[in-house]
Amino acid sequence: MEIIISNSSGKPIYEQITDQIKGHILSGKLQAGDTLPSMRALAQDLKISVITTKRAYNDLEEEGFITTVARKGCFVSATEPSLLRENNLKTAEEHLQKAVDLAKQSGISLEEVQDIVKILYEGE
Amino acid sequence: MEYAVKATGVCKDYGSFSLKSVDLEIPKGFVTGLIGSNGAGKSTIMKCLTGAVIKDSGTVEFDDGLELKEIGLVFDECPFPQYMKCEQLDGIFTRMFDGWDGEKYFAHLQQFGIDRKKKVKDLSRGMSMKLQVAVAFSHPTKLLILDEPTAGMDPASRDEFLDSLREYMQDEEHAILISSHITTDLEKIADYVSFMKNGQILVSSGKDELEESYGLLKTGGECPIDKELVICSRRSESNTVYLINDKAGVREAYPELVVDDATLEDIMVMFARGDY
């Protein structure tokens, strides 16, 4: 499982971990039933605190992405595609909110923002 | 939370220096870092925990099942007989520790690049720290108490040493208490940190919480934010730097102010040199 931690992204490390594991699950790199490294092993590997990996795993578990089986480890849950879509929709909305806030502060019009979104979306 | 060791109200008076009612908890399964200036009392509290220094009052409780001999120690001064060769220490520790693993000891010597034929007194500071680490890793322990273990080690050696601590922490029954002036080492390894000053613990907290909450507010003129959030400050000719709590809240409330993240080193320097 590939996880890349940036110290300069401004995003908390636990969030970087949850985002990337979610990404792996969404993209199918991690499948339902796959084993995740233990919290201690991941902390050792990424050279970060166990508290951080624990927080990331707890969040992932709360959101239904993984399940922890006592003494066996953490596994990728059988997630419903709709749950994943909803999750991403929420994240997309948050990002757009930031863009809109910034646009409002700087006097950028709705039309201009819509144009940018359209170009970005179709450019993909 | 389960504790490997819990110190409550530990006092020790040396006349010129005293520990003043120190509470320190070392949770099982985690690394606790101890930060403070020279003479803050880090070594003294570490020695009080193991009984190497007799405390005047207070209690030190060990977790059930943790015995003194299961504590691996690294102190700032190498306590081994100075005129013995490193390889001869094996004979002493075989008799001293149940479960002493001579093979492991020699493997660690080789791993750390310590010449087994060298006398203890001829080792450089970094090497004598590594020798103590080799000994601590070669008998069965559940707790490591490490006083400035990285002092004198070069960056690559420090990195290797921290890796070996991470390896040690794969067992959740293990715990580590470590002090270091190289605060970046603690940033890399500690789960919890405690700041000491003048024989007292100022703050004990999760390292992540600390890094998320503490910030440096840099401004001219009067303090622009609620004084409750300010821990201490340092004034210079051109500006004042405040160590503050809840930096996220301050950033949101005052987007025009400069609020930087605070490293453990920043926090330590502010605690040591700031005005309260």
Side-chain angles (χ1 to χ4, degrees), chain A:
Chain A
M1 185 173 72
E2 203 169 79
I3 291 181
I4 291 149
I5 300 293
S6 160
N7 290 323
S8 57
S9 74
K11 204 193 245 185
I13 292 174
Y14 69 90
E15 217 175 298
Q16 296 185 36
I17 298 172
T18 51
D19 285 356
Q20 289 180 44
I21 292 181
K22 277 185 207 168
H24 290 325
I25 295 173
L26 285 172
S27 67
K29 271 188 205 153
L30 282 173
Q31 303 269 342
D34 282 354
T35 319
L36 292 173
S38 75
M39 287 183 253
R40 282 182 188 274
L42 185 65
Q44 179 184 21
D45 195 56
L46 295 174
K47 301 180 194 287
I48 56 173
S49 168
V50 186
I51 297 175
T52 312
T53 50
K54 197 171 176 187
R55 185 164 173 185
Y57 277 26
N58 283 350
D59 286 359
L60 286 169
E61 192 166 9
E62 248 173 47
E63 289 178 53
F65 284 94
I66 63 170
T67 29
T68 309
V69 183
R71 289 174 200 289
K72 289 218 166 138
C74 295
F75 302 92
V76 177
S77 309
T79 33
E80 291 171 35
S82 62
L83 179 79
L84 299 179
R85 192 177 181 282
E86 198 182 319
N87 194 285
N88 282 355
L89 192 64
K90 208 178 106 205
T91 315
E93 199 180 306
E94 283 167 10
H95 287 303
L96 285 173
Q97 181 66 53
K98 279 185 198 156
V100 167
D101 289 345
L102 193 65
K104 279 183 176 169
Q105 277 173 26
S106 337
I108 300 167
S109 73
L110 175 62
E111 286 72 27
E112 280 175 288
V113 175
Q114 280 172 331
D115 283 348
I116 297 168
V117 173
K118 198 156 179 272
I119 291 165
L120 287 175
Y121 198 97
E122 286 167 355
E124 277 288 324

Side-chain angles (χ1 to χ4, degrees), chain B residues 96-276:
Chain B
M96 245 176 87
F97 291 117
D98 296 341
W100 170 259
D101 189 336
E103 248 172 66
K104 219 173 175 182
Y105 173 64
F106 286 115
H108 280 305
L109 288 188
Q110 193 169 16
Q111 181 199 347
F112 295 148
I114 302 170
D115 181 355
R116 53 194 280 174
K117 300 279 180 204
K118 250 194 180 174
K119 286 181 181 163
V120 172
K121 69 175 175 65
D122 295 328
L123 296 175
S124 69
R125 178 155 172 83
M127 281 295 173
S128 73
M129 299 317 272
K130 287 183 188 177
L131 176 65
Q132 291 191 67
V133 173
V135 171
F137 276 147
S138 302
H139 65 99
T141 59
K142 288 184 187 158
L143 169 67
L144 297 179
I145 295 184
L146 312 170
D147 192 3
E148 295 289 336
T150 52
M153 285 190 199
D154 64 79
S157 299
R158 291 208 319 264
D159 192 63
E160 189 185 9
F161 171 67
L162 294 180
D163 271 340
S164 60
L165 295 188
R166 290 185 188 102
E167 181 65 43
Y168 182 79
M169 289 312 297
Q170 289 304 298
D171 187 333
E172 55 191 67
E173 291 295 308
H174 288 171
I176 297 178
L177 175 65
I178 178 173
S179 72
S180 179
H181 289 304
I182 304 169
T183 49
T184 48
D185 284 347
L186 298 182
E187 248 149 43
K188 288 177 193 156
I189 193 77
D191 300 305
Y192 294 93
V193 286
S194 291
F195 286 90
M196 283 193 87
K197 184 183 180 181
N198 298 337
Q200 285 176 304
I201 302 264
L202 292 181
V203 177
S204 289
S205 167
K207 184 196 63 185
D208 292 2
E209 286 167 52
L210 210 69
E211 284 174 344
E212 270 173 46
S213 152
Y214 281 25
L216 295 175
L217 165 65
K218 299 170 182 175
T219 176
E222 286 300 297
C223 178
I225 64 163
D226 185 354
K227 291 221 164 48
E228 293 273 297
L229 295 173
V230 174
I231 298 153
C232 57
S233 64
R234 284 187 77 188
R235 186 178 288 276
S236 75
E237 281 293 317
S238 49
N239 63 52
T240 308
V241 179
Y242 297 92
L243 181 65
I244 59 163
N245 253 319
D246 187 22
K247 75 179 163 206
V250 172
R251 274 176 183 158
E252 206 175 319
Y254 306 91
E256 73 283 3
L257 292 179
V258 176
V259 180
D260 282 350
D261 292 339
T263 62
L264 291 183
E265 178 157 331
D266 293 329
I267 299 170
M268 180 198 154
V269 171
M270 288 299 284
F271 274 144
R273 306 195 58 199
D275 301 316
Y276 289 84

Side-chain angles (χ1 to χ4, degrees), chain B residues 6-11 21-25 55 57-61:
Chain B
K6 190 172 176 173
T8 317
V10 170
C11 298
S21 187
V22 169
D23 296 339
L24 185 64
E25 291 162 343
K55 58 189 184 304
S57 58
T59 56
V60 173
E61 288 170 79

